[in-house]
Amino acid sequence: MTLAFNDLVCGYGDTVVVRGVSGQVVPGKALAVVGRNGVGKSTLLKALAGQLPLTSGRVDWDGQTIVDKPLHTRLELGIAYAPQENVVFGELSVADNLWLHLNDRNVNRYDELFELFPLLQRRLNQRSGSLSGGERKLLSFARTIGLQAKLAMLDEPTEGVQPENIDRMASMVNRRKASGASFIIVEQNLEFVAAFADSVLVLDHGEVVLQGSFAELGRERIEQHMLI
Ligand SMILES: Nc1ncnc2c1ncn2[C@@H]1O[C@H](COP(=O)(O)OP(=O)(O)OP(=O)(O)O)[C@@H](O)[C@H]1O
Ligand SMILES: [Mg+2]
């Protein structure tokens, strides 16, 4: 199933943040959204997730519009979303955070993730609020991957995560892509982007300034748009 978005315009109150952004992601592929702080990456992802209403534009999933579908309906359709902030429920244990959105407590669901991230398994009974920032990001990543969505949208999943675990996140994304899942990932870490992205969308001031494969665009050109 393909997610296609066209001419998206959205923002907060009278402030327009995303100004006519288009793109798409097909099964088995990953799109990276990059750009400097404050250019509208999270705002774009919130709009794609159904957390922020559009001023105008289209979002189609498998050829059908989902513009009027809220977050939970998009999840039922196979679109998962891990926001940049407030990514875990601090009062709940790591285990409860992992099972939160799931009806079946299939014990094998997280085996693959625990193998890659043994830290999570060791912390299953720990209160999530006492995890470090990077550990919380890892938990949020694992929870979203565990949903086994057709499309997972992740907002800066590697923020504060140890390099070794960032490499493992990239392997996990690539493994899921190989079995047909697609991804839209907002990122600032270009090494990570190079490891998973089939295409890259570079935003500046809410507009697409570069679009193509990582190799086509070249790391230097992308980096130029990320300098302050
Ligand atoms: N809830 C909100 N209300 C009003 N303005 C907001 C809100 N959230 C974000 N903004 C503004 O929208 C603009 C884009 O923010 P956004 O969070 O989308 O940027 P970003 O590219 O994700 O940045 P970062 O790399 O820091 O995460 C910023 O100017 C920000 O101040
Ligand atoms: Mg952001």
Side-chain angles (χ1 to χ4, degrees), residues 92-128:
L92 301 181
S93 68
V94 169
D96 285 341
N97 264 284
L98 286 174
W99 296 115
L100 199 64
H101 298 295
L102 299 167
N103 296 323
D104 74 304
R105 289 205 163 211
N106 171 0
V107 285
N108 302 320
R109 181 182 284 273
Y110 290 107
D111 281 359
E112 208 184 352
L113 285 150
F114 290 154
E115 224 170 87
L116 271 181
F117 308 109
L119 174 146
L120 285 178
Q121 192 164 26
R122 287 199 303 271
R123 305 286 172 93
L124 278 176
N125 297 317
Q126 188 172 327
R127 208 178 61 90
S128 300

Side-chain angles (χ1 to χ4, degrees), residues 17 19 34-36 39-40 202-209 224-225:
V17 173
R19 304 158 190 275
V34 309
R36 285 176 295 113
V39 296
V202 185
L203 289 187
D204 203 353
H205 290 101
E207 289 182 85
V208 178
V209 287
Q224 272 170 7
H225 285 279

Side-chain angles (χ1 to χ4, degrees), residues 37-38 40-43 84-85 155-156 159 186 188:
N37 294 122
K41 304 181 298 295
S42 295
T43 304
Q84 186 172 0
E85 311 291 350
D155 197 342
E156 301 211 24
E159 239 176 351
V186 168
Q188 310 244 18

Side-chain angles (χ1 to χ4, degrees), residues 107-205:
V107 285
N108 302 320
R109 181 182 284 273
Y110 290 107
D111 281 359
E112 208 184 352
L113 285 150
F114 290 154
E115 224 170 87
L116 271 181
F117 308 109
L119 174 146
L120 285 178
Q121 192 164 26
R122 287 199 303 271
R123 305 286 172 93
L124 278 176
N125 297 317
Q126 188 172 327
R127 208 178 61 90
S128 300
S130 61
L131 296 173
S132 74
E135 288 168 348
R136 276 203 292 273
K137 276 285 183 175
L138 203 56
L139 171 58
S140 167
F141 175 82
R143 184 174 63 194
T144 308
I145 294 287
L147 291 172
Q148 299 177 336
K150 295 186 180 83
L151 164 66
M153 302 198 287
L154 314 174
D155 197 342
E156 301 211 24
T158 69
E159 239 176 351
V161 175
Q162 288 184 355
E164 182 187 76
N165 281 333
I166 295 178
D167 292 346
R168 291 174 180 166
M169 283 172 148
S171 333
M172 191 69 223
V173 168
N174 286 325
R175 241 190 255 179
R176 283 297 157 92
K177 277 170 55 186
S179 50
S182 57
F183 289 85
I184 300 179
I185 304 182
V186 168
E187 257 301 328
Q188 310 244 18
N189 178 338
L190 292 186
E191 216 147 300
F192 179 61
V193 169
F196 74 82
D198 298 285
S199 55
V200 182
L201 209 145
V202 185
L203 289 187
D204 203 353
H205 290 101

